[in-house]
């Protein structure tokens, strides 16, 4: 450990109001800590700059999964284990459940939270492409009240978000209107378990009368933020799936991303894998979409 615990202060309010009250006192002074699976890595490396931590772990207001008529509302403090074990989420939002299954190992899934994954804002975070294609909305809370915003655009640049320093994410809202869609999610990493993505995809589509009626494709690890491939979607929407379309979509996707070389991979590899994943999705859509 490169950090000295004596230099840190941690408080654990018993209610959400207590937590946001503390954040409001001097915005930016207190850092929320949920499962701590990102924060404790920074702490151990001596890179945790904030000395005051407010624990939001186990706040009941953040821990439930509510099934409403038109959406499923996942508390931001829900763990990956809660998500992957929730029967309705698995049925209606299988790509979120898959990303929970392949995040870290079991210990990490018992502790890491969906809200933490969003706010940590890694471009390689596994749950974020699924949130993009499912048209997710976020409920943010502070002493000023609640606001509800679209998750698309929440990440404004590398590690930057629209969250104000006195705000918490309270819940992640998934609209229940994708049940008839074909979906495809995949994580490409060095190993199946305990690997950070080189590229990850979440894609949804629906075919009607042999043509692609609706399509949504998002990728992680290919840009400073999780990316929706709107140009690739535009190119394929309304078209019949054949070899030429698959090839055009693959090429468009590889050109649309903004990958970099880093310790896990190269930009060239990421572009090639992106094209292949989009082709894989369209081929699946052409078979399953007609079923
Ligand atoms: C061994 C290991 C393996 C991992 N594997 C993966 C992986 O495969 N895929 C992947 O995507 N990630 C992985 N991670 C990263 C991490 O587990 C996830 O990002 C996790 O979701 C973080 O959640 P947390 O609750 O632990 O966040 P914390 O560490 O508690 O917090 C992270 C950030 O989010 C903020 N925050 C947390 N909750 C809220 C909230 N409700 N409102 C506002 N701000 C909030 C905190 O202030 C902090 O800035 C791994 C980490 C480890 C240590």
């Amino acid at each position: 450990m490169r950090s000295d615990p004596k230099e840190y202060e941690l408080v654990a309010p018993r209610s959400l109001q207590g937590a946001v009250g503390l954040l409001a006192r001097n915005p930016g002074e207190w850092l929320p800590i949920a499962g701590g699976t990102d924060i404790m890595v920074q702490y151990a490396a001596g890179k945790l700059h904030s000395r005051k931590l407010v624990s939001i772990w186990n706040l009941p207001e953040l821990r439930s999964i509510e099934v409403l008529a038109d959406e499923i509302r996942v508390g931001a403090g829900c763990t990956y284990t809660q998500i992957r074990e929730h029967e309705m989420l698995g049925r209606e939002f299988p790509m979120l459940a898959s990303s929970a299954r392949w995040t870290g190992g079991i210990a990490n899934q018992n502790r890491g939270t969906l809200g933490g994954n969003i706010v940590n804002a890694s471009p390689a975070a596994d749950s974020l492409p699924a949130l993009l294609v499912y048209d997710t909305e976020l409920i943010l809370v502070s002493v000023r009240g609640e606001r509800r915003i679209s998750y698309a655009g929440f990440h404004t640049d590398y590690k930057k978000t629209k969250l104000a320093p006195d705000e918490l994410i309270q819940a992640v809202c998934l609209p229940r209107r994708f049940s008839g869609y074909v979906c495809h999610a995949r994580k490409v990493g060095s190993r199946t378990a305990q690997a950070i993505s080189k590229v990850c995809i979440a894609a949804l589509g629906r075919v009607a009368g042999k043509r692609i009626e609706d399509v949504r494709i998002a990728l992680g690890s290919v840009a400073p933020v999780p990316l929706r491939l709107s140009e690739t979607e535009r190119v394929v929407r309304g078209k019949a799936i054949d070899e030429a379309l698959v090839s055009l979509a693959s090429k468009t996707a590889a050109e649309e991303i903004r990958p970099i070389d880093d310790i896990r991979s190269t930009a060239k590899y990421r572009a090639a894998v992106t094209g292949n994943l989009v082709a894989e999705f369209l081929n699946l859509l052409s078979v399953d979409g007609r079923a």
Side-chain angles (χ1 to χ4, degrees):
M1 290 273 179
R2 299 206 181 94
S3 300
D4 181 352
K6 289 198 292 296
E7 292 175 8
Y8 292 83
E9 188 181 347
L10 179 109
V11 296
R14 295 202 177 164
S15 69
L16 185 60
Q17 276 318 308
V20 292
L22 200 57
L23 292 179
R25 263 196 224 162
N26 188 6
E29 187 182 15
W30 289 86
L31 180 71
I33 176 168
T37 60
D38 281 312
I39 285 183
M40 291 311 288
V41 172
Q42 295 167 34
Y43 171 83
K47 291 183 178 160
L48 184 60
H49 299 302
S50 186
R51 294 288 189 262
K52 292 179 179 234
L53 301 173
V54 50
S55 175
I56 56 170
W57 175 251
N58 251 346
L59 285 181
E61 297 93 331
L62 305 183
R63 285 304 291 265
S64 64
I65 299 177
E66 277 178 277
V67 179
L68 306 175
D70 54 350
E71 68 184 22
I72 298 188
R73 211 173 267 190
V74 182
C78 287
T79 63
Y80 295 109
T81 301
Q82 272 179 282
I83 291 168
R84 70 175 161 72
E85 287 182 349
H86 196 274
E87 201 256 327
M88 195 86 101
L89 273 181
R91 197 158 3 110
E92 295 191 27
F93 301 96
M95 296 192 295
L96 185 62
S98 303
S99 66
R101 265 192 297 279
W102 63 49
T103 293
I106 296 298
N108 197 72
Q109 291 168 14
N110 286 340
R111 193 76 201 179
T113 65
L114 185 57
N117 202 225
I118 298 170
V119 178
N120 185 56
S122 161
D126 283 309
S127 60
L128 306 184
L131 297 186
L132 269 184
V133 294
Y134 285 135
D135 272 353
T136 304
E137 293 188 334
L138 304 176
I139 298 177
L140 310 181
V141 63
S142 71
V143 289
R144 291 169 286 128
E146 280 182 18
R147 62 182 178 126
R148 185 167 168 137
I149 62 168
S150 169
Y151 166 65
F154 179 75
H155 292 114
T156 52
D157 203 343
Y158 179 70
K159 293 268 179 185
K160 294 209 161 52
T161 76
K162 286 184 175 164
L163 193 73
D166 65 342
E167 278 179 319
L168 289 173
I169 300 183
Q170 180 167 1
V172 176
C173 307
L174 298 153
R176 300 179 69 186
R177 56 185 157 80
F178 295 107
S179 53
Y181 281 66
V182 172
C183 69
H184 181 52
R186 222 180 125 180
K187 170 175 183 165
V188 177
S190 301
R191 299 174 299 274
T192 310
Q194 292 285 24
I196 299 175
S197 297
K198 293 173 194 271
V199 181
C200 57
I201 186 171
L204 280 174
R206 195 170 57 193
V207 171
K210 295 198 174 162
R211 294 184 182 276
I212 298 178
E213 189 184 50
D214 193 12
V215 64
R216 321 160 148 259
I217 307 170
L219 280 102
S221 272
V222 296
V225 294
L227 202 64
R228 182 98 182 252
L229 298 193
S230 32
E231 181 56 19
T232 309
E233 292 175 7
R234 193 191 62 74
V235 160
V236 300
R237 192 171 288 118
K239 309 266 174 50
I241 305 172
D242 58 17
E243 230 176 273
L245 189 76
V246 171
S247 165
L248 175 65
S250 258
K251 186 169 168 293
T252 310
E255 286 169 0
E256 192 174 0
I257 60 172
R258 288 174 280 143
I260 54 165
D261 292 342
D262 64 12
I263 49 163
R264 288 192 301 284
S265 192
T266 63
K268 196 171 164 198
Y269 177 82
R270 288 180 159 118
V273 170
T274 295
N276 292 345
L277 289 172
V278 167
E280 192 173 64
F281 163 60
L282 289 177
N283 286 326
L284 184 80
L285 187 58
S286 77
V287 177
D288 288 4
R290 280 198 291 262

